[in-house]
Amino acid sequence: MNKMTWVTTLMRVVLGIIFLVHGISKFQMGLGNVEAWFSSLGVPAFMAYVAAILELAGGILLIIGLGTRVVSILFALMMVGAIVTVKWPAGLIGSDQMPGYELDLGLFLIALYLSVSESTALSLDRVFLKKRNPSTNL
């Protein structure tokens, strides 16, 4: 395997872990509390459930490498939403009251990269792609 395969795999797994931990955190806080927090930020309350489920399930899917492109696109959209609706007023670095959007921007770029990159040999996406199209030289 080449360096790009290892780096892409590492990016996918680490991004999955980050979102999985954030999803677990939302469930541990209680979705009612997350819903109230989202509402206080001006984000529709139902998005707390969408975010928690997407982070949890999407994180697991990225770790195992299944549905990487779709999940990555959803995560990229989520990060754009977080930056625009919540973090933008704080700026890139943020302030004492609120963190900036630098982490969200980094996560967005990783998700964007994964949404356009080829599946790596270390993913279930590749396993299923080979089964569907055995003539493809991957």
Side-chain angles (χ1 to χ4, degrees):
M1 271 186 283
N2 65 29
K3 292 176 197 173
M4 285 302 293
T5 297
W6 285 108
V7 171
T8 302
T9 300
L10 184 61
M11 289 171 64
R12 177 178 48 81
V13 171
V14 170
L15 187 66
I17 291 169
I18 290 169
F19 276 104
L20 174 63
V21 169
H22 277 265
I24 290 170
S25 174
K26 284 178 177 61
F27 280 99
Q28 287 176 334
M29 287 193 316
L31 291 180
N33 293 330
V34 178
E35 184 179 7
W37 176 56
F38 272 44
S39 293
S40 75
L41 296 171
V43 177
F46 78 91
M47 289 303 294
Y49 299 94
V50 173
I53 292 167
L54 177 59
E55 288 173 353
L56 185 72
I60 292 168
L61 290 171
L62 276 188
I63 291 167
I64 64 174
L66 186 60
T68 300
R69 284 190 174 167
V70 172
V71 171
S72 295
I73 289 168
L74 293 173
F75 282 160
L77 291 172
M78 181 187 290
M79 290 299 92
V80 169
I83 290 169
V84 171
T85 63
V86 179
K87 302 280 186 90
W88 193 259
L92 180 66
I93 303 300
S95 65
D96 292 338
Q97 291 79 33
M98 178 184 235
Y101 57 85
E102 72 274 16
L103 175 62
D104 305 80
L105 185 60
L107 296 175
F108 164 76
L109 289 171
I110 295 168
L112 184 64
Y113 172 79
L114 292 173
S115 72
V116 298
S117 66
E118 294 294 321
S119 299
T120 65
L122 301 174
S123 70
L124 288 179
D125 288 334
R126 182 55 62 105
V127 171
F128 291 124
L129 182 62
K130 277 187 176 181
K131 285 184 180 178
R132 270 193 298 152
N133 194 0
S135 64
T136 303
N137 184 11
L138 301 173

mmCIF file of all heavy atoms in Angstrom, residues 20 52 63 88 96:
data_model
loop_
_atom_site.group_PDB
_atom_site.id
_atom_site.type_symbol
_atom_site.label_atom_id
_atom_site.label_comp_id
_atom_site.label_asym_id
_atom_site.label_seq_id
_atom_site.Cartn_x
_atom_site.Cartn_y
_atom_site.Cartn_z
ATOM 1 N N LEU A 20 -17.872 10.248 16.270
ATOM 2 C CA LEU A 20 -18.460 9.252 17.162
ATOM 3 C C LEU A 20 -18.445 9.756 18.607
ATOM 4 O O LEU A 20 -19.460 9.687 19.311
ATOM 5 C CB LEU A 20 -17.711 7.921 17.057
ATOM 6 C CG LEU A 20 -18.136 6.819 18.034
ATOM 7 C CD1 LEU A 20 -19.581 6.412 17.809
ATOM 8 C CD2 LEU A 20 -17.203 5.619 17.882
ATOM 9 N N ALA A 52 -27.013 14.365 16.553
ATOM 10 C CA ALA A 52 -26.568 13.281 17.447
ATOM 11 C C ALA A 52 -26.554 11.939 16.728
ATOM 12 O O ALA A 52 -25.578 11.181 16.822
ATOM 13 C CB ALA A 52 -27.468 13.218 18.677
ATOM 14 N N ILE A 63 -15.420 4.885 10.520
ATOM 15 C CA ILE A 63 -14.370 4.052 11.118
ATOM 16 C C ILE A 63 -14.217 2.750 10.348
ATOM 17 O O ILE A 63 -13.101 2.313 10.061
ATOM 18 C CB ILE A 63 -14.655 3.794 12.608
ATOM 19 C CG1 ILE A 63 -14.487 5.107 13.402
ATOM 20 C CG2 ILE A 63 -13.742 2.709 13.173
ATOM 21 C CD1 ILE A 63 -15.036 5.058 14.812
ATOM 22 N N TRP A 88 -19.599 31.613 13.210
ATOM 23 C CA TRP A 88 -19.131 32.732 12.403
ATOM 24 C C TRP A 88 -18.924 34.015 13.205
ATOM 25 O O TRP A 88 -17.900 34.680 13.052
ATOM 26 C CB TRP A 88 -20.087 32.978 11.234
ATOM 27 C CG TRP A 88 -19.520 33.900 10.209
ATOM 28 C CD1 TRP A 88 -19.801 35.224 10.048
ATOM 29 C CD2 TRP A 88 -18.549 33.577 9.209
ATOM 30 N NE1 TRP A 88 -19.078 35.737 9.002
ATOM 31 C CE2 TRP A 88 -18.295 34.744 8.474
ATOM 32 C CE3 TRP A 88 -17.878 32.407 8.867
ATOM 33 C CZ2 TRP A 88 -17.405 34.783 7.420
ATOM 34 C CZ3 TRP A 88 -16.989 32.450 7.812
ATOM 35 C CH2 TRP A 88 -16.760 33.622 7.108
ATOM 36 N N ASP A 96 -13.070 34.563 24.531
ATOM 37 C CA ASP A 96 -13.236 33.925 25.842
ATOM 38 C C ASP A 96 -14.625 33.309 25.986
ATOM 39 O O ASP A 96 -14.800 32.342 26.716
ATOM 40 C CB ASP A 96 -13.018 34.939 26.962
ATOM 41 C CG ASP A 96 -11.575 35.407 27.038
ATOM 42 O OD1 ASP A 96 -10.693 34.679 26.533
ATOM 43 O OD2 ASP A 96 -11.335 36.492 27.596
#
